[in-house]
Amino acid sequence: MDKILASPGATLEILDRFGIRARKKYGQNFLIDANIVRGIIETAGITQEDCVLEIGPGIGTMTQLLSAAAGRVVSVEIDESLQPVLEQTLSDCPNVTILWQDVLKTDLVQVRDEYAPGKRMKVVANLPYYVTTPILMQLLEQKDLFESITVMVQKEVADRICSGPGSKEYGAISLAVQYYAQPEAAIRVAPSCFIPHPNVDSTVLYLRAYEKPPVEADEPLMFALIRAAFNQRRKTLANAVSHGLQAPFGPFAREQVAEALKTMNLPETVRGEALSLEQYAALSKYLGYDTLNPV
Ligand code: SAM
């Protein structure tokens, strides 16, 4: 293996040698702390049996160590100007394949079928923060392709994802992630562990994908209810849902929602942020039944 890149000296030397700078528009903050990189790989529990999907290898810092730990690594990178860098830094890593494309436009089923047929991959990434939510939702909506997802995200995002009803961080993303996976904040990471330093603290988040969702729901309607509730946080849930849902998920009269809430022993004035995932699932089933059986 080429020398370990996860240090300030090695990273600056590479940037200098190839005449490149971290590109803000691609959310490039390169890891320079080897203990953090090892901690991420340990959290993900990578073994030689695994095929890892890495998002954004950058200059190859984590890819090098993933290559040593895993059987196979597929890394998706949008920034083609990094091509000469990775050719060199990963020259001793024959089990790594780089796909030069936007991960959001990547057919992940095809990637799995080609590189890990019949298996589930493990995702490991120091995510570009400007697209954290779309990437996480893309991965979770195809969770059957993955055994686990271990990603560096902004600390605030990790706090939101791990929070429950009643806390101020609780929101649509908490419910969306918790429907698909069990989240755990594994490692806290300071800005000084990256070049350039981000303006925020970071957290390594470990998501263990459920084989089956933890609640039974009318899934599309449940997500529509969650979106309506948190888009209009200051309204009561009954108002938010009766104003915010259009066909094919509604509309529902305010009284219909109030009636469903009453059946669930919830006050008519309850706000969306007070309901748990179980309660959203139950509400979706009550209202879904109403849609199928109009009075
Ligand atoms: N893994 C490297 C590390 O830890 O030092 C780099 C991490 S850096 C935070 C994010 C990486 O994701 C960059 O290399 C960036 O170019 C890449 N990236 C940004 N947007 C992307 C996208 N839509 N698809 C694939 N890669 C992307």
Side-chain angles (χ1 to χ4, degrees):
M1 184 190 296
D2 207 344
K3 87 175 175 210
I4 297 283
L5 294 168
S7 75
T11 301
L12 289 172
E13 195 272 318
I14 290 281
L15 296 179
D16 187 46
R17 177 153 29 117
F18 287 90
I20 48 172
R21 301 174 72 183
R23 297 171 85 171
K24 202 170 172 187
K25 80 163 181 173
Y26 289 138
Q28 292 178 351
N29 297 96
F30 302 119
L31 269 168
I32 51 166
D33 186 320
N35 287 331
I36 298 291
V37 179
R38 290 199 191 94
I40 295 172
I41 294 173
E42 207 170 290
T43 301
I46 303 300
T47 73
Q48 292 292 320
E49 305 302 307
D50 292 322
C51 176
V52 172
L53 171 68
E54 185 193 18
I55 297 161
I59 61 170
T61 309
M62 192 146 67
T63 326
Q64 277 188 327
L65 299 182
L66 284 170
S67 163
R72 185 141 213 160
V73 181
V74 181
S75 301
V76 183
E77 174 57 63
I78 197 170
D79 182 2
E80 292 188 26
S81 74
L82 295 171
Q83 222 153 346
V85 181
L86 289 184
E87 257 165 39
Q88 176 161 359
T89 57
L90 302 178
S91 59
D92 292 339
C93 303
N95 60 347
V96 176
T97 304
I98 311 281
L99 305 177
W100 294 100
Q101 56 201 58
D102 180 345
V103 73
L104 291 171
K105 295 185 182 145
T106 300
D107 182 341
L108 297 176
V109 174
Q110 203 180 327
V111 172
R112 194 277 313 271
D113 289 349
E114 185 165 349
Y115 298 99
K119 284 173 58 165
R120 293 201 296 164
M121 299 180 283
K122 288 183 178 167
V123 177
V124 182
N126 171 14
L127 285 181
Y129 293 169
Y130 76 106
V131 272
T132 301
T133 306
I135 293 178
L136 276 180
M137 293 323 293
Q138 175 199 25
L139 297 173
L140 289 167
E141 281 164 11
Q142 301 180 83
K143 68 177 176 39
D144 294 347
L145 302 175
F146 311 110
E147 200 174 318
S148 62
I149 299 171
T150 308
V151 281
M152 178 91 73
V153 297
Q154 281 186 47
K155 179 183 171 293
E156 282 76 5
V157 173
D159 290 348
R160 271 194 269 142
I161 286 175
C162 295
S163 70
S167 86
K168 71 178 189 329
E169 287 89 13
Y170 189 52
I173 184 126
S174 331
L175 287 154
V177 173
Q178 291 169 26
Y179 180 68
Y180 294 115
Q182 189 182 334
E184 185 194 321
I187 309 174
R188 177 85 176 264
V189 184
S192 59
C193 296
F194 306 85
I195 285 180
H197 299 342
N199 297 327
V200 290
D201 282 335
S202 301
T203 297
V204 176
L205 194 63
Y206 176 72
L207 304 176
R208 193 173 53 77
Y210 291 125
E211 282 186 16
K212 180 168 149 295
V215 293
E216 216 179 284
D218 177 332
E219 196 177 305
L221 178 56
M222 180 179 77
F223 282 117
L225 291 169
I226 291 171
R227 275 196 302 277
F230 288 96
N231 276 343
Q232 304 173 78
R233 253 188 129 101
R234 303 234 297 275
K235 286 190 176 161
T236 65
L237 182 63
N239 276 336
V241 167
S242 59
H243 291 129
L245 252 64
Q246 307 304 330
F249 302 117
F252 293 105
R254 218 194 70 81
E255 295 67 37
Q256 247 177 314
V257 186
E259 185 61 36
L261 292 172
K262 196 169 153 204
T263 323
M264 293 167 60
N265 289 323
L266 286 168
E268 200 181 312
T269 53
V270 75
R271 287 178 200 274
E273 64 214 27
L275 266 68
S276 64
L277 178 63
E278 290 72 15
Q279 288 169 320
Y280 272 107
L283 184 61
S284 75
K285 288 203 296 178
Y286 280 121
L287 292 176
Y289 183 83
D290 277 4
T291 322
L292 296 172
N293 301 278
V295 273

